Amino acid sequence: MVTTSRSTVILAATLAALLVPSASYADLRGTVFGGYARINESDKGTFGASVALGGLLGLEFEAARTPLGLLDNVDIVDVDTDITTYMGNLVLRAPIGRVQPYGSAGVGLVRASGSVKIPGLGTVIEANAKDVGWNVGGGLYLFPAKHIGIRGDLRRFQTGDVTWEEIANLGDLPLPKFDFWRASVGVTVKF
């Protein structure tokens, strides 16, 4: 009984030592990025920023926007749309050396917005839809200098299906299901 208790304490202390970041490995990283998102069989430009904190196990908060552009099948008016994601992620990263691979997964808000503009009259309609979404992915940090690096990242984003109850709600418009990939490269500053 004492051996089991002692083994449990040793195992818990070892896990705590591995998961709690030491002063040299716990850092704050800010990244500005740009890239492409693959949505509905077409590539769209995307841009955003993230802030991450932690060592081996950390937290990341990011916001990104993907302009979908003007709809091609509307002749008289301009319909401009975009998707914005706000995500909170858990990040598992190898925080040693100049090359640091990582994986991440999280949940957040996916928001689609659009506006209809008529030449000579300006914007006549604006609409928004939002839903909870999730993302999973990973990438690589490269730090050629102590505090400046480059981040390459690939993530998949998805939202849920819209139900009839959501469509009947007179609040925000329901968000159709989105399932897309985003590849980006960014500049990271480490504090």
Side-chain angles (χ1 to χ4, degrees):
M1 194 76 147
V2 173
T3 308
T4 304
S5 182
R6 183 179 293 155
S7 298
T8 304
V9 169
I10 291 171
L11 179 62
T14 303
L15 285 174
L18 289 174
L19 294 178
V20 174
S22 69
S24 62
Y25 293 138
D27 49 42
L28 177 65
R29 297 173 311 282
T31 303
V32 231
F33 58 86
Y36 288 96
R38 182 82 172 158
I39 301 175
N40 297 335
E41 303 299 320
S42 63
D43 293 329
K44 302 292 183 181
T46 186
F47 60 93
S50 71
V51 174
L53 173 67
L56 177 65
L57 187 61
L59 296 174
E60 174 192 56
F61 300 97
E62 76 148 42
R65 175 167 282 179
T66 304
L68 299 177
L70 298 175
L71 297 181
D72 296 331
N73 56 355
V74 181
D75 295 328
I76 300 172
V77 297
D78 293 333
V79 180
D80 196 8
T81 58
D82 60 58
I83 294 177
T84 306
T85 57
Y86 304 96
M87 294 286 159
N89 300 309
L90 285 176
V91 178
L92 182 62
R93 173 178 67 106
I96 52 175
R98 295 185 182 275
V99 178
Q100 301 178 5
Y102 68 91
S104 72
V107 296
L109 181 70
V110 177
R111 180 177 176 263
S113 59
S115 63
V116 176
K117 297 177 185 173
I118 298 176
L121 293 177
T123 301
V124 292
I125 298 174
E126 289 186 359
N128 295 305
K130 59 187 173 195
D131 199 357
V132 173
W134 59 268
N135 75 95
V136 63
L140 195 65
Y141 284 103
L142 300 173
F143 287 103
K146 185 175 180 180
H147 296 287
I148 302 290
I150 299 168
R151 183 186 87 170
D153 187 85
L154 179 65
R155 296 185 195 210
R156 178 179 178 213
F157 293 82
Q158 187 172 355
T159 61
D161 290 315
V162 176
T163 65
W164 284 109
E165 291 81 20
E166 291 172 316
I167 291 173
N169 183 0
L170 296 178
D172 287 335
L173 294 174
L175 183 70
K177 181 175 181 176
F178 280 101
D179 187 352
F180 63 95
W181 289 87
R182 182 188 77 201
S184 65
V185 175
V187 175
T188 298
V189 177
K190 182 169 65 168
F191 300 94

